[in-house]
Amino acid sequence: MKIQLPAHSPLATNTFTYGVATAAFQIEGAADQRLPCIWDTFCAQPGTISDGSNGLIACDHINRWRDDLALIEQLNVDAYRFSVSWPRVMHADGSPNHAGLNFYLALLDALGAKGIKAYVTLYHWDLPQHLEDAGGWQNRETAYKFQAYADLVSRTFGDRVHSYATLNEPFCSAYLGYEVGIHAPGIACQKAGRQAAHHLLLAHGLAMQVLQKNSPNSLNGIVLNMSPGYPKTQSLEDQEAAALAEDFLFHWYAEPLFNCRYPARALAHIPADAHPHIETGDMEIIGQPLDYLGLNYYTRGVYHADPATGFGETIPNGAQVTDMGWEVFPQGLTDLLTGLNARYALPPVYITENGAAMKDQLRQGEVNDQSRLAYFQSHLRAVHNAVAAGVDVQGYFAWSLMDNFEWALGYEKRFGIVHVDYATQKRTIKASGHALAAFFGSRSRD
Ligand code: IFM
């Protein structure tokens, strides 16, 4: 199967940015060359990671990055999105870790030499453990520590970076990490979750200030994950449940960024004693202009009214699901983009992650992952449809470059377009990777 889009589509030209994405903790390994982070601590607690694994070696990318870069080049991408490991580049006293910074400088220079644009995420969940020991994202001070980290990185990287994202998916850091406790640091408390979310957003705003000063020519923004909500039935109750789920789960992040406030429906749903403490001026810091919005899309949510919790979620009968149990629903990406465009004054949008975990089989040196390939085809078409409907989408990144550590699900879930044999660290480009490379390489100049 080939990936195809209408010839007239902006997505079929070289003006549209295509890339692959990774994150530091998920691929780097070499944990002995950095400070411990909250995910090291979390993984060491029995029962937290389904296969009992950790990120100590991961894809050994720190030692194999040149080979990985050669793979990236073979994929014909315009851009590579990766994250910087805060505990690798800063000592606990805030001074620079030059060995860590030099790793990223070498990677950035090599990307530049190959003409591949660097999309750098500053925070993809690996908070230094010493900061968690001081309260982590529940502690307002962490937002200012993040600003200092953003300052160090952006001054060091100079003009090598095409785009910065302050945070990747603050929902996951705050909600999964502090509100329900299935991610590091494993705290399950609504007040903690909502306070962590506020401090993450504040950290984003403070970091934007230094990025716009130190790196005015890069595209500076944030990456949010969103699964649009659909009512299970057309009853008013289910429609209200779907709207509440969206506000509670993702407009909680978008509304402060674009309108300097938390969504009223979600605030009314959360008990007053779990509301975040907000200081004067915080919302204006959070809501300063973005050069772009990064959106990570995987699936939708189907919701019904639940008197106890406000909303409950179901997977529709007969739905096609990925190995994560997530429904394959490309129309959700079009609906999400058009819906956001109607609700907010959006800057240019990049799909910073999209992809699927599938049960891959390596047979005779090949992975024939046709279902993942179909997923990419249908979701690229969904982005095309959103652009045709007037949404300014300028790029798309496949998640992920290669199989990697899928957080609480360890190494059992494979999202890569490149297969990784963890015993040998051998990489094999899957059929989806070959098809994407052919499509990226076939685009017209425009
Ligand atoms: O692997 C993650 C990534 O780190 C963040 N976005 C979702 C991906 C798949 O779960």
Side-chain angles (χ1 to χ4, degrees):
M1 183 187 177
K2 280 167 101 175
I3 293 201
Q4 280 175 321
L5 287 173
H8 66 269
S9 173
L11 276 77
T13 73
N14 277 338
T15 57
F16 197 84
T17 299
Y18 285 102
V20 284
T22 62
F25 190 86
Q26 294 179 273
I27 65 164
E28 283 184 356
D32 55 340
Q33 293 164 34
R34 58 162 172 76
L35 295 177
C37 75
I38 55 175
W39 273 93
D40 297 311
T41 311
F42 192 66
C43 291
Q45 292 164 18
T48 53
I49 311 298
S50 60
D51 61 1
S53 63
N54 55 50
L56 299 182
I57 298 173
C59 303
D60 195 28
H61 173 71
I62 288 282
N63 296 310
R64 296 168 193 266
W65 70 269
R66 284 187 183 78
D67 294 341
D68 291 338
L69 188 51
L71 275 174
I72 293 169
E73 196 179 14
Q74 274 186 62
L75 294 170
N76 293 328
V77 294
D78 308 303
Y80 174 45
R81 174 174 180 248
F82 64 95
S83 78
V84 174
S85 162
W86 187 351
R88 196 179 290 287
V89 299
M90 226 177 180
H91 295 298
D93 64 2
S95 63
N97 179 334
H98 291 290
L101 286 166
N102 286 342
F103 165 73
Y104 295 107
L105 284 171
L107 174 61
L108 287 166
D109 284 341
L111 284 165
K114 292 180 186 302
I116 300 171
K117 293 171 185 157
Y119 280 63
V120 173
T121 302
L122 290 175
Y123 186 71
H124 200 125
W125 311 354
D126 42 0
L127 186 71
Q129 181 59 43
H130 67 92
L131 293 179
E132 182 56 37
D133 295 342
W137 289 111
Q138 293 184 79
N139 181 354
R140 186 177 174 88
E141 196 50 36
T142 302
Y144 293 89
K145 301 266 189 209
F146 183 72
Q147 185 182 40
Y149 158 63
D151 186 47
L152 168 70
V153 170
S154 52
R155 278 190 290 104
T156 306
F157 290 178
D159 61 2
R160 295 171 177 85
V161 174
H162 184 80
S163 168
Y164 281 105
T166 53
L167 308 175
N168 180 73
E169 303 181 350
F171 161 84
C172 295
S173 303
Y175 185 76
L176 302 183
Y178 290 85
E179 192 158 333
V180 295
I182 59 170
H183 275 193
I187 294 168
C189 163
Q190 190 165 52
K191 169 77 184 173
R194 296 293 146 170
Q195 195 63 60
H198 182 67
H199 290 152
L200 279 152
L201 287 166
L202 179 64
H204 153 77
L206 293 168
M208 280 297 287
Q209 293 173 345
V210 301
L211 292 176
Q212 298 295 38
K213 180 162 69 73
N214 295 348
S215 193
N217 297 326
S218 55
L219 293 173
N220 301 320
I222 187 171
V223 170
L224 302 181
N225 58 313
M226 300 190 185
S227 299
Y230 295 78
K232 184 173 179 190
T233 71
Q234 285 315 308
S235 72
L236 281 179
E237 291 80 5
D238 285 0
Q239 290 186 40
E240 174 59 21
L244 173 62
E246 285 197 345
D247 281 1
F248 185 79
L249 297 173
F250 66 81
H251 290 300
W252 189 263
Y253 302 88
E255 196 73 48
L257 290 168
F258 295 113
N259 293 330
C260 295
R261 60 176 183 234
Y262 287 102
R265 194 191 273 109
L267 275 172
H269 176 69
I270 296 169
D273 61 3
H275 285 190
H277 170 72
I278 302 169
E279 294 200 0
T280 308
D282 283 3
M283 300 313 289
E284 289 67 35
I285 293 173
I286 292 168
Q288 65 198 284
L290 300 170
D291 295 337
Y292 78 98
L293 173 67
L295 274 183
N296 295 351
Y297 176 84
Y298 290 91
T299 188
R300 68 165 171 173
V302 176
Y303 298 103
H304 57 271
D306 181 325
T309 57
F311 59 90
E313 190 178 354
T314 39
I315 300 280
N317 284 335
Q320 186 196 350
V321 295
T322 68
D323 197 29
M324 297 291 279
W326 297 347
E327 183 185 1
V328 177
F329 194 71
Q331 180 63 38
L333 181 50
T334 311
D335 293 346
L336 174 66
L337 287 164
T338 53
L340 290 173
N341 203 37
R343 178 161 167 165
Y344 300 114
L346 291 182
V349 175
Y350 286 73
I351 305 303
T352 33
E353 290 180 23
N354 179 235
M358 297 290 181
K359 286 211 180 309
D360 294 326
Q361 304 278 347
L362 180 66
R363 288 207 186 97
Q364 291 159 345
E366 290 181 4
V367 179
N368 192 12
D369 58 337
Q370 292 298 320
S371 52
R372 182 178 291 104
L373 174 42
Y375 182 100
F376 283 125
Q377 167 68 67
S378 60
H379 286 74
L380 283 168
R381 182 77 205 203
V383 178
H384 162 84
N385 292 343
V387 171
V391 188
D392 183 11
V393 186
Q394 300 198 356
Y396 174 98
F397 291 74
W399 183 269
S400 179
L401 164 65
M402 57 185 161
D403 296 336
N404 57 50
F405 177 75
E406 180 51 28
W407 308 110
L409 301 173
Y411 295 96
E412 287 166 347
K413 304 295 176 199
R414 293 178 177 270
F415 274 91
I417 59 172
V418 173
H419 178 271
V420 177
D421 177 336
Y422 295 110
T424 61
Q425 292 293 349
K426 183 172 163 40
R427 277 69 159 142
T428 305
I429 300 180
K430 302 178 189 178
S432 60
H434 287 299
L436 284 170
F439 168 65
F440 297 155
S442 72
R443 286 170 293 154
S444 63
R445 289 185 185 280
D446 214 334

